[in-house]
Amino acid sequence: DIQMTQSPSSLSASVGDRVTITCRASQDIRNDLGWYQQKPGKAPKRLIYAASSLQSGVPSRFSGSGSGTEFTLTISSLQPEDFATYYCLQHNDYPWTFGQGTKVEIK
Amino acid sequence: EVQLVESGGGLVQPGGSLRLSCAASGLTFSSYWMSWLRQAPGKGLEWVANIKRDGSEEYYVDSVKGRFTISRDNAKNSLYLQMNSLRAEDTAVYYCATKYFEYWGQGTLVTVSS
């Protein structure tokens, strides 16, 4: 199975901060990676697909980069509505696997 | 507007069975691979199963193989998850979603407990 190692597991940040979350795959997954945001009690929402493509309707402050084994989600200027948990997902090979999640909290 | 609405969750004893349903609207259901995912209380997301557009291919996470079956009825725009031999560790909110998770349902809670 492909392991997705996501870091950090949590972070505290202020509104306006630049935030970076990283996912590392245990083997080459090309660009078969998505990023998802989940707020408490809600279904997740896709932010990024194919590692760097912005989902329609998602603010441009979100961006994704990387290919192969190293991937990054960046929030350029954190907004109050961005406090949530973020997950990466690889869909290169079965079983599809998520990272452990990164909880973004208010400093 | 795309809507995915899950139903069928509830409390079941260990070893029991449950069938989840997901009713889809606002999309050409037969054009989409579909997925089931789950999230145990306070835990992360776990992909459970995928099914091809015509139902001819199915994929499962190892922990549910032989116990869960994903199926679909394109005439009814519906996705299903038959869950047998349920265990305490299957307790979770179960979500249906389109294959790359661009659309999600609201989730249905399955609790396996005596």
Side-chain angles (χ1 to χ4, degrees):
Chain A
D1 297 3
I2 298 173
Q3 308 302 317
M4 300 301 295
T5 303
Q6 186 172 339
S7 61
S9 56
S10 65
L11 65 90
S12 295
S14 301
V15 171
D17 284 354
R18 182 181 182 88
V19 168
T20 299
I21 299 168
T22 298
C23 263
R24 179 176 292 114
S26 59
Q27 64 189 66
D28 186 348
I29 60 168
R30 303 185 304 178
N31 70 337
D32 296 331
L33 182 118
W35 289 97
Y36 301 82
Q37 176 195 66
Q38 187 179 33
K39 297 182 179 179
K42 299 293 188 181
K45 170 186 173 182
R46 189 171 74 170
L47 303 174
I48 301 287
Y49 63 95
S52 59
S53 295
L54 189 67
Q55 177 70 31
S56 174
V58 172
S60 58
R61 62 180 180 273
F62 291 94
S63 63
S65 64
S67 66
T69 61
E70 295 278 341
F71 302 87
T72 300
L73 173 71
T74 299
I75 310 172
S76 60
S77 177
L78 198 65
Q79 297 302 300
E81 60 268 30
D82 301 337
F83 292 95
T85 301
Y86 294 83
Y87 296 92
C88 63
L89 164 83
Q90 71 80 20
H91 53 85
N92 177 262
D93 195 17
Y94 288 112
W96 290 4
T97 45
F98 285 91
Q100 306 94 313
T102 297
K103 187 172 184 179
V104 177
E105 298 176 304
I106 302 172
K107 183 182 281 186
Chain B
E1 179 194 6
V2 173
Q3 282 200 314
L4 300 174
V5 180
E6 301 96 337
S7 60
L11 175 63
V12 60
Q13 291 189 338
S17 298
L18 214 53
R19 188 195 196 207
L20 305 183
S21 299
C22 172
S25 61
L27 76 170
T28 305
F29 181 71
S30 59
S31 297
Y32 285 82
W33 284 65
M34 294 296 294
S35 301
W36 285 100
L37 304 96
R38 65 185 179 183
Q39 186 168 36
K43 302 298 184 183
L45 296 166
E46 181 180 39
W47 168 80
V48 173
N50 278 1
I51 187 167
K52 196 176 180 180
R53 299 176 193 88
D54 61 359
S56 62
E57 293 180 31
E58 303 164 23
Y59 300 89
Y60 299 91
V61 67
D62 282 353
S63 59
V64 309
K65 279 181 185 175
R67 301 188 299 124
F68 289 13
T69 302
I70 188 172
S71 63
R72 65 191 297 161
D73 185 336
N74 287 342
K76 294 183 177 180
N77 290 340
S78 292
L79 177 72
Y80 306 101
L81 187 67
Q82 178 66 44
M83 303 186 295
N84 299 330
S85 303
L86 282 160
R87 306 166 181 166
E89 54 265 35
D90 296 318
T91 294
V93 174
Y94 284 74
Y95 295 99
C96 70
T98 49
K99 185 186 182 185
Y100 296 109
F101 315 151
E102 62 267 49
Y103 302 116
W104 295 71
Q106 83 288 352
T108 188
L109 177 62
V110 172
T111 303
V112 184
S113 175
S114 55

Short mmCIF file of all heavy atoms in Angstrom, two decimals, chain A residues 1 36 38 41-46 49 55 87 89 91 94-101, chain B residues 33 35 37 39 43-47 50 59-62 95 99-102 104-106:
data_model
loop_
_atom_site.label_atom_id
_atom_site.label_comp_id
_atom_site.label_asym_id
_atom_site.label_seq_id
_atom_site.Cartn_x
_atom_site.Cartn_y
_atom_site.Cartn_z
N ASP A 1 0.83 -1.19 0.00
CA ASP A 1 0.00 0.00 0.00
C ASP A 1 0.88 1.25 0.00
O ASP A 1 1.96 1.28 0.59
CB ASP A 1 -0.91 0.04 1.24
CG ASP A 1 -1.89 -1.11 1.30
OD1 ASP A 1 -1.84 -2.00 0.40
OD2 ASP A 1 -2.70 -1.13 2.22
N TYR A 36 -8.19 18.11 0.33
CA TYR A 36 -9.56 18.24 0.80
C TYR A 36 -9.58 19.01 2.11
O TYR A 36 -8.68 18.85 2.95
CB TYR A 36 -10.19 16.86 1.00
CG TYR A 36 -10.20 16.08 -0.29
CD1 TYR A 36 -9.08 15.38 -0.71
CD2 TYR A 36 -11.32 16.09 -1.12
CE1 TYR A 36 -9.06 14.72 -1.92
CE2 TYR A 36 -11.31 15.42 -2.33
CZ TYR A 36 -10.17 14.74 -2.72
OH TYR A 36 -10.16 14.08 -3.93
N GLN A 38 -12.00 19.85 5.48
CA GLN A 38 -13.16 19.39 6.23
C GLN A 38 -13.36 20.24 7.47
O GLN A 38 -12.43 20.43 8.26
CB GLN A 38 -13.03 17.91 6.64
CG GLN A 38 -14.30 17.36 7.28
CD GLN A 38 -14.20 15.89 7.66
OE1 GLN A 38 -13.13 15.40 8.02
NE2 GLN A 38 -15.31 15.18 7.56
N GLY A 41 -18.25 18.32 11.58
CA GLY A 41 -19.62 17.90 11.31
C GLY A 41 -20.04 18.00 9.86
O GLY A 41 -21.22 17.76 9.54
N LYS A 42 -19.11 18.31 8.98
CA LYS A 42 -19.43 18.47 7.56
C LYS A 42 -18.67 17.47 6.71
O LYS A 42 -17.63 16.94 7.12
CB LYS A 42 -19.07 19.89 7.10
CG LYS A 42 -19.81 20.99 7.82
CD LYS A 42 -21.29 20.98 7.49
CE LYS A 42 -21.99 22.20 8.08
NZ LYS A 42 -23.45 22.19 7.80
N ALA A 43 -19.18 17.22 5.51
CA ALA A 43 -18.45 16.40 4.55
C ALA A 43 -17.25 17.19 4.04
O ALA A 43 -17.27 18.42 3.98
CB ALA A 43 -19.35 16.03 3.39
N PRO A 44 -16.19 16.50 3.68
CA PRO A 44 -15.03 17.18 3.10
C PRO A 44 -15.39 17.87 1.78
O PRO A 44 -16.39 17.54 1.14
CB PRO A 44 -14.03 16.05 2.87
CG PRO A 44 -14.43 14.99 3.84
CD PRO A 44 -15.94 15.07 3.90
N LYS A 45 -14.52 18.79 1.40
CA LYS A 45 -14.68 19.55 0.16
C LYS A 45 -13.36 19.48 -0.59
O LYS A 45 -12.29 19.67 0.00
CB LYS A 45 -15.01 21.00 0.51
CG LYS A 45 -15.00 21.99 -0.63
CD LYS A 45 -15.20 23.40 -0.09
CE LYS A 45 -15.01 24.45 -1.14
NZ LYS A 45 -15.16 25.82 -0.60
N ARG A 46 -13.42 19.18 -1.88
CA ARG A 46 -12.19 19.11 -2.67
C ARG A 46 -11.72 20.53 -2.99
O ARG A 46 -12.49 21.36 -3.49
CB ARG A 46 -12.41 18.31 -3.95
CG ARG A 46 -11.11 18.04 -4.68
CD ARG A 46 -11.27 17.06 -5.82
NE ARG A 46 -11.94 17.66 -6.97
CZ ARG A 46 -12.02 17.05 -8.16
NH1 ARG A 46 -11.49 15.86 -8.34
NH2 ARG A 46 -12.65 17.65 -9.15
N TYR A 49 -7.16 19.23 -7.34
CA TYR A 49 -7.06 17.93 -7.96
C TYR A 49 -5.86 17.90 -8.90
O TYR A 49 -5.33 18.96 -9.26
CB TYR A 49 -8.36 17.57 -8.70
CG TYR A 49 -8.70 18.48 -9.86
CD1 TYR A 49 -8.33 18.16 -11.17
CD2 TYR A 49 -9.38 19.67 -9.65
CE1 TYR A 49 -8.64 19.00 -12.23
CE2 TYR A 49 -9.70 20.52 -10.70
CZ TYR A 49 -9.33 20.17 -11.98
OH TYR A 49 -9.64 21.00 -13.03
N GLN A 55 -9.93 23.49 -7.81
CA GLN A 55 -11.33 23.13 -8.00
C GLN A 55 -12.14 24.40 -8.27
O GLN A 55 -11.92 25.44 -7.63
CB GLN A 55 -11.87 22.43 -6.75
CG GLN A 55 -13.33 22.06 -6.78
CD GLN A 55 -13.63 20.94 -7.76
OE1 GLN A 55 -12.81 20.07 -8.00
NE2 GLN A 55 -14.84 20.97 -8.31
N TYR A 87 -6.76 17.30 4.32
CA TYR A 87 -6.28 15.96 4.01
C TYR A 87 -5.77 15.89 2.57
O TYR A 87 -6.37 16.49 1.66
CB TYR A 87 -7.40 14.93 4.12
CG TYR A 87 -7.98 14.74 5.50
CD1 TYR A 87 -9.09 15.47 5.91
CD2 TYR A 87 -7.45 13.80 6.38
CE1 TYR A 87 -9.65 15.30 7.17
CE2 TYR A 87 -8.01 13.62 7.64
CZ TYR A 87 -9.11 14.37 8.02
OH TYR A 87 -9.65 14.18 9.27
N LEU A 89 -4.96 13.03 -0.52
CA LEU A 89 -5.39 11.70 -0.96
C LEU A 89 -4.62 11.30 -2.20
O LEU A 89 -4.54 12.09 -3.14
CB LEU A 89 -6.87 11.71 -1.30
CG LEU A 89 -7.33 10.51 -2.13
CD1 LEU A 89 -7.61 9.32 -1.23
CD2 LEU A 89 -8.54 10.81 -2.99
N HIS A 91 -4.60 8.74 -5.39
CA HIS A 91 -5.45 7.81 -6.14
C HIS A 91 -4.67 7.21 -7.31
O HIS A 91 -5.23 6.93 -8.38
CB HIS A 91 -6.73 8.50 -6.62
CG HIS A 91 -6.52 9.77 -7.39
ND1 HIS A 91 -6.27 9.80 -8.73
CD2 HIS A 91 -6.50 11.07 -6.98
CE1 HIS A 91 -6.13 11.04 -9.13
NE2 HIS A 91 -6.27 11.84 -8.10
N TYR A 94 -4.57 1.32 -5.92
CA TYR A 94 -5.43 0.84 -4.85
C TYR A 94 -4.61 0.11 -3.78
O TYR A 94 -3.63 -0.58 -4.13
CB TYR A 94 -6.48 -0.11 -5.42
CG TYR A 94 -7.55 0.58 -6.21
CD1 TYR A 94 -7.67 0.40 -7.58
CD2 TYR A 94 -8.46 1.45 -5.58
CE1 TYR A 94 -8.66 1.05 -8.32
CE2 TYR A 94 -9.44 2.09 -6.31
CZ TYR A 94 -9.54 1.89 -7.67
OH TYR A 94 -10.52 2.53 -8.39
N PRO A 95 -4.95 0.22 -2.51
CA PRO A 95 -6.06 1.02 -1.99
C PRO A 95 -5.70 2.50 -1.96
O PRO A 95 -4.59 2.88 -1.63
CB PRO A 95 -6.22 0.49 -0.56
CG PRO A 95 -4.84 0.05 -0.19
CD PRO A 95 -4.22 -0.49 -1.45
N TRP A 96 -6.67 3.34 -2.32
CA TRP A 96 -6.46 4.77 -2.21
C TRP A 96 -6.23 5.11 -0.74
O TRP A 96 -6.88 4.54 0.14
CB TRP A 96 -7.67 5.52 -2.75
CG TRP A 96 -7.81 5.41 -4.24
CD1 TRP A 96 -7.05 4.68 -5.11
CD2 TRP A 96 -8.80 6.06 -5.02
NE1 TRP A 96 -7.52 4.83 -6.39
CE2 TRP A 96 -8.59 5.69 -6.38
CE3 TRP A 96 -9.85 6.94 -4.73
CZ2 TRP A 96 -9.37 6.16 -7.42
CZ3 TRP A 96 -10.63 7.40 -5.77
CH2 TRP A 96 -10.39 7.00 -7.10
N THR A 97 -5.34 6.04 -0.49
CA THR A 97 -4.99 6.35 0.89
C THR A 97 -4.92 7.86 1.13
O THR A 97 -4.44 8.61 0.28
CB THR A 97 -3.65 5.70 1.28
OG1 THR A 97 -2.70 5.89 0.22
CG2 THR A 97 -3.83 4.21 1.52
N PHE A 98 -5.38 8.24 2.32
CA PHE A 98 -5.35 9.63 2.76
C PHE A 98 -4.15 9.85 3.67
O PHE A 98 -3.68 8.92 4.35
CB PHE A 98 -6.60 9.96 3.56
CG PHE A 98 -7.85 10.15 2.75
CD1 PHE A 98 -8.68 9.07 2.48
CD2 PHE A 98 -8.20 11.40 2.26
CE1 PHE A 98 -9.85 9.24 1.73
CE2 PHE A 98 -9.36 11.58 1.51
CZ PHE A 98 -10.17 10.50 1.25
N GLY A 99 -3.69 11.10 3.72
CA GLY A 99 -2.80 11.50 4.79
C GLY A 99 -3.58 11.55 6.11
O GLY A 99 -4.81 11.47 6.12
N GLN A 100 -2.85 11.72 7.19
CA GLN A 100 -3.46 11.66 8.53
C GLN A 100 -4.25 12.92 8.86
O GLN A 100 -5.03 12.92 9.84
CB GLN A 100 -2.38 11.46 9.59
CG GLN A 100 -1.47 10.27 9.34
CD GLN A 100 -0.19 10.64 8.60
OE1 GLN A 100 -0.21 11.34 7.59
NE2 GLN A 100 0.93 10.16 9.12
N GLY A 101 -4.08 13.96 8.09
CA GLY A 101 -4.80 15.21 8.33
C GLY A 101 -3.95 16.25 9.02
O GLY A 101 -3.05 15.93 9.80
N TRP B 33 -17.90 6.92 -12.11
CA TRP B 33 -17.50 5.96 -11.09
C TRP B 33 -17.98 6.54 -9.75
O TRP B 33 -18.04 7.75 -9.57
CB TRP B 33 -15.99 5.84 -11.03
CG TRP B 33 -15.32 5.07 -12.10
CD1 TRP B 33 -15.25 5.35 -13.42
CD2 TRP B 33 -14.51 3.89 -11.90
NE1 TRP B 33 -14.48 4.43 -14.07
CE2 TRP B 33 -14.01 3.52 -13.16
CE3 TRP B 33 -14.17 3.12 -10.78
CZ2 TRP B 33 -13.19 2.41 -13.33
CZ3 TRP B 33 -13.35 2.02 -10.95
CH2 TRP B 33 -12.87 1.66 -12.21
N SER B 35 -17.93 6.11 -5.23
CA SER B 35 -17.11 5.65 -4.11
C SER B 35 -17.90 5.67 -2.81
O SER B 35 -18.85 6.45 -2.65
CB SER B 35 -15.91 6.59 -3.93
OG SER B 35 -15.11 6.65 -5.08
N LEU B 37 -16.68 6.13 1.29
CA LEU B 37 -15.61 6.44 2.22
C LEU B 37 -16.21 6.40 3.62
O LEU B 37 -17.43 6.42 3.79
CB LEU B 37 -15.04 7.83 1.97
CG LEU B 37 -14.53 8.14 0.58
CD1 LEU B 37 -15.61 8.83 -0.24
CD2 LEU B 37 -13.29 9.01 0.66
N GLN B 39 -15.42 7.63 8.03
CA GLN B 39 -14.64 8.37 9.00
C GLN B 39 -15.09 7.94 10.39
O GLN B 39 -16.21 8.23 10.80
CB GLN B 39 -14.84 9.88 8.81
CG GLN B 39 -13.94 10.73 9.68
CD GLN B 39 -13.97 12.19 9.24
OE1 GLN B 39 -14.99 12.72 8.82
NE2 GLN B 39 -12.83 12.86 9.32
N LYS B 43 -11.57 10.52 13.98
CA LYS B 43 -10.44 10.01 13.18
C LYS B 43 -10.43 10.61 11.78
O LYS B 43 -11.27 11.43 11.42
CB LYS B 43 -10.51 8.47 13.08
CG LYS B 43 -10.50 7.76 14.43
CD LYS B 43 -9.23 8.01 15.20
CE LYS B 43 -9.21 7.21 16.49
NZ LYS B 43 -7.97 7.51 17.28
N GLY B 44 -9.46 10.17 10.98
CA GLY B 44 -9.31 10.67 9.63
C GLY B 44 -10.20 9.94 8.64
O GLY B 44 -10.99 9.07 8.99
N LEU B 45 -10.04 10.32 7.39
CA LEU B 45 -10.84 9.75 6.31
C LEU B 45 -10.23 8.44 5.81
O LEU B 45 -9.00 8.29 5.77
CB LEU B 45 -10.90 10.75 5.14
CG LEU B 45 -11.60 12.07 5.45
CD1 LEU B 45 -11.30 13.09 4.36
CD2 LEU B 45 -13.10 11.86 5.58
N GLU B 46 -11.09 7.53 5.42
CA GLU B 46 -10.66 6.24 4.86
C GLU B 46 -11.49 5.93 3.63
O GLU B 46 -12.72 5.89 3.70
CB GLU B 46 -10.78 5.11 5.89
CG GLU B 46 -10.31 3.77 5.36
CD GLU B 46 -10.43 2.64 6.37
OE1 GLU B 46 -11.44 2.62 7.11
OE2 GLU B 46 -9.53 1.78 6.39
N TRP B 47 -10.82 5.69 2.52
CA TRP B 47 -11.51 5.21 1.33
C TRP B 47 -11.92 3.76 1.56
O TRP B 47 -11.15 2.97 2.10
CB TRP B 47 -10.59 5.31 0.11
CG TRP B 47 -11.10 4.58 -1.07
CD1 TRP B 47 -12.04 5.00 -1.95
CD2 TRP B 47 -10.70 3.27 -1.50
NE1 TRP B 47 -12.25 4.03 -2.91
CE2 TRP B 47 -11.45 2.96 -2.66
CE3 TRP B 47 -9.78 2.33 -1.02
CZ2 TRP B 47 -11.32 1.76 -3.34
CZ3 TRP B 47 -9.64 1.13 -1.70
CH2 TRP B 47 -10.41 0.85 -2.85
N ASN B 50 -14.74 1.48 -4.53
CA ASN B 50 -15.09 2.15 -5.78
C ASN B 50 -15.84 1.19 -6.66
O ASN B 50 -15.61 -0.03 -6.63
CB ASN B 50 -13.82 2.58 -6.54
CG ASN B 50 -13.24 3.88 -6.07
OD1 ASN B 50 -13.74 4.49 -5.14
ND2 ASN B 50 -12.14 4.28 -6.69
N TYR B 59 -13.54 -2.19 -6.37
CA TYR B 59 -12.29 -2.19 -5.63
C TYR B 59 -12.60 -1.89 -4.17
O TYR B 59 -13.49 -1.09 -3.88
CB TYR B 59 -11.33 -1.14 -6.19
CG TYR B 59 -10.98 -1.37 -7.64
CD1 TYR B 59 -11.76 -0.83 -8.65
CD2 TYR B 59 -9.89 -2.15 -7.99
CE1 TYR B 59 -11.47 -1.05 -9.98
CE2 TYR B 59 -9.57 -2.37 -9.32
CZ TYR B 59 -10.38 -1.82 -10.31
OH TYR B 59 -10.08 -2.06 -11.63
N TYR B 60 -11.84 -2.54 -3.28
CA TYR B 60 -12.11 -2.41 -1.84
C TYR B 60 -10.82 -2.23 -1.05
O TYR B 60 -9.76 -2.76 -1.42
CB TYR B 60 -12.81 -3.67 -1.31
CG TYR B 60 -14.13 -3.97 -1.94
CD1 TYR B 60 -14.23 -4.79 -3.06
CD2 TYR B 60 -15.30 -3.43 -1.41
CE1 TYR B 60 -15.45 -5.07 -3.64
CE2 TYR B 60 -16.53 -3.71 -1.99
CZ TYR B 60 -16.60 -4.53 -3.10
OH TYR B 60 -17.82 -4.79 -3.68
N VAL B 61 -10.93 -1.55 0.08
CA VAL B 61 -9.83 -1.56 1.04
C VAL B 61 -9.78 -2.95 1.67
O VAL B 61 -10.82 -3.64 1.81
CB VAL B 61 -10.04 -0.45 2.11
CG1 VAL B 61 -11.24 -0.73 2.99
CG2 VAL B 61 -8.78 -0.24 2.91
N ASP B 62 -8.59 -3.41 2.02
CA ASP B 62 -8.44 -4.78 2.50
C ASP B 62 -9.32 -5.10 3.70
O ASP B 62 -9.83 -6.22 3.84
CB ASP B 62 -6.97 -5.04 2.87
CG ASP B 62 -6.10 -5.30 1.65
OD1 ASP B 62 -6.64 -5.41 0.54
OD2 ASP B 62 -4.86 -5.36 1.82
N TYR B 95 -19.73 8.00 3.87
CA TYR B 95 -20.05 8.97 2.83
C TYR B 95 -20.05 8.29 1.47
O TYR B 95 -19.17 7.46 1.19
CB TYR B 95 -18.99 10.07 2.77
CG TYR B 95 -18.87 10.96 3.98
CD1 TYR B 95 -17.89 10.75 4.94
CD2 TYR B 95 -19.72 12.06 4.14
CE1 TYR B 95 -17.76 11.59 6.04
CE2 TYR B 95 -19.59 12.91 5.24
CZ TYR B 95 -18.61 12.65 6.18
OH TYR B 95 -18.48 13.50 7.25
N LYS B 99 -16.15 9.58 -7.90
CA LYS B 99 -14.88 8.86 -7.80
C LYS B 99 -13.72 9.68 -7.26
O LYS B 99 -12.96 9.19 -6.42
CB LYS B 99 -14.49 8.26 -9.15
CG LYS B 99 -13.23 7.39 -9.09
CD LYS B 99 -12.81 6.96 -10.46
CE LYS B 99 -11.59 6.06 -10.42
NZ LYS B 99 -11.09 5.74 -11.77
N TYR B 100 -13.53 10.87 -7.72
CA TYR B 100 -12.41 11.67 -7.23
C TYR B 100 -12.86 12.65 -6.15
O TYR B 100 -12.18 13.61 -5.85
CB TYR B 100 -11.70 12.36 -8.39
CG TYR B 100 -11.07 11.37 -9.33
CD1 TYR B 100 -11.60 11.15 -10.60
CD2 TYR B 100 -9.97 10.62 -8.94
CE1 TYR B 100 -11.05 10.22 -11.46
CE2 TYR B 100 -9.40 9.68 -9.78
CZ TYR B 100 -9.95 9.48 -11.04
OH TYR B 100 -9.39 8.55 -11.88
N PHE B 101 -14.02 12.38 -5.59
CA PHE B 101 -14.54 13.07 -4.42
C PHE B 101 -14.80 14.55 -4.67
O PHE B 101 -14.61 15.39 -3.80
CB PHE B 101 -13.61 12.88 -3.21
CG PHE B 101 -13.13 11.47 -3.03
CD1 PHE B 101 -11.91 11.20 -2.44
CD2 PHE B 101 -13.90 10.38 -3.44
CE1 PHE B 101 -11.47 9.89 -2.26
CE2 PHE B 101 -13.46 9.08 -3.28
CZ PHE B 101 -12.23 8.84 -2.68
N GLU B 102 -15.23 14.88 -5.91
CA GLU B 102 -15.61 16.27 -6.13
C GLU B 102 -17.00 16.54 -5.57
O GLU B 102 -17.31 17.68 -5.24
CB GLU B 102 -15.52 16.66 -7.62
CG GLU B 102 -16.41 15.89 -8.55
CD GLU B 102 -15.74 14.66 -9.16
OE1 GLU B 102 -15.13 13.87 -8.40
OE2 GLU B 102 -15.86 14.48 -10.38
N TRP B 104 -19.88 15.06 -2.64
CA TRP B 104 -20.04 14.21 -1.46
C TRP B 104 -21.49 14.26 -0.98
O TRP B 104 -22.17 15.27 -1.13
CB TRP B 104 -19.18 14.72 -0.31
CG TRP B 104 -17.72 14.67 -0.50
CD1 TRP B 104 -16.97 15.45 -1.34
CD2 TRP B 104 -16.79 13.84 0.19
NE1 TRP B 104 -15.64 15.14 -1.22
CE2 TRP B 104 -15.50 14.16 -0.27
CE3 TRP B 104 -16.92 12.86 1.18
CZ2 TRP B 104 -14.34 13.52 0.19
CZ3 TRP B 104 -15.78 12.23 1.66
CH2 TRP B 104 -14.51 12.56 1.16
N GLY B 105 -21.91 13.17 -0.32
CA GLY B 105 -23.14 13.22 0.44
C GLY B 105 -22.86 13.81 1.82
O GLY B 105 -21.73 14.17 2.15
N GLN B 106 -23.91 13.85 2.63
CA GLN B 106 -23.79 14.44 3.97
C GLN B 106 -23.32 13.40 4.99
O GLN B 106 -22.94 13.76 6.10
CB GLN B 106 -25.13 15.04 4.42
CG GLN B 106 -26.13 14.07 5.02
CD GLN B 106 -26.77 13.12 4.01
OE1 GLN B 106 -26.59 13.27 2.80
NE2 GLN B 106 -27.53 12.16 4.50
#
